[in-house]
Amino acid sequence: MMIYPEPIDHFDRLPDPVLLLIFNKIGDVKALGRCCVVSKRFHSLVPEVDNVVVRVDCVISEDDSSSSSSSSSNNNSSVKSRHPISSLFRFVFSGLLKPFQSITQFISVSSRRGSSSSSTAVLDVESDDFDKNSVTHHSPTQVLKNFNEIKLLRIELPSGELGIDECVLLKWRAEFGSTLDNCVILGASSVTTSDSCSLENVDGNGDNDNGSIPDSFYTNGGLKLRVVWTISSLIAASARHYLLQPIIAEHKTLDSLVLTDADGQGVLCMNREQLEELRVKPLSASSASKRTLVPALNMRLWYAAHLELPDGTVLKGATLVAIRPSEQPKKDVVGSDGNWVGAAFEEPYGTAARMLVKRRTYCLEMNSF
């Protein structure tokens, strides 16, 4: 008769700080949910993770969440089938931004797993507690409520809110405290490469580009389109900010919060000071929809009919807009305050922003909305 030694679980030999370091490297809330069901020790450590990433799988409205999954699926299909321009205008003028939507295939840890009332709200979707004939939706607020020590939080939506044509570039980045601190928007009528583009500009003048906006820009819809981009981006940013309130209120350990989307269209950022400001000074909500009220704004605009970047990317009708509340002291785009506009985007678009701010500046104002 052979006697074998009892198997050794080498994870048991790792101290808790090392396991937490591993869990923080994982970050993804789905993967952490699977870790929760591995052992009681993992289950007790996961709530102490301080670096969490939540990827939202699908987007549904509050009304949709109370209806059947089949009708929700039909509603989402009908939204996707609309023309992008139609969706954009519906968003701008009808305030149709859907609240966070939900993370699919997450369920609470069952008591059969030995969990307590403070168990994390995520789980391995392959566990025997999951009913494969149904999908349980939980908002990011619900999913995060049992993480106790979050310092760095990143939430990623499946896509940006603004429907635009495939060849069009539209990116924005906004920082908020209790209200908008700043926003930078970069747009272009088309993005091509130097090998495939011509010097003809879709917005008009492509011959003598001296940094001035050509007259045709005002008559062929170029300016109107930029106004729509600006208002749409501000509405998207303020709607995201509004929806973050419960998360910020509940997680007082947060040092950084980023809400972005999978296609990189928009990024909302808040640092520790801005997060604390929102807790101390409640935001002002728009009476028209569920979003933060945008204050009166000062804007600077730069335009280039044709902008060729060092990597060969060519932006036609390139437009950069830097936005700050009117009540804030003027802040240099470059200089003692640093290049906060150029630092708003990853390459190659950071280079595009730095090239545009060297051109002629146009100043605009916008009332609160």
Side-chain angles (χ1 to χ4, degrees), residues 307-328:
L307 190 69
E308 184 168 351
L309 307 183
D311 69 346
T313 300
V314 176
L315 307 182
K316 294 186 178 181
T319 309
L320 179 69
V321 184
I323 303 169
R324 292 181 65 83
S326 300
E327 63 182 19
Q328 290 189 7

Side-chain angles (χ1 to χ4, degrees), residues 3-8:
I3 299 177
Y4 296 96
E6 184 177 345
I8 299 175

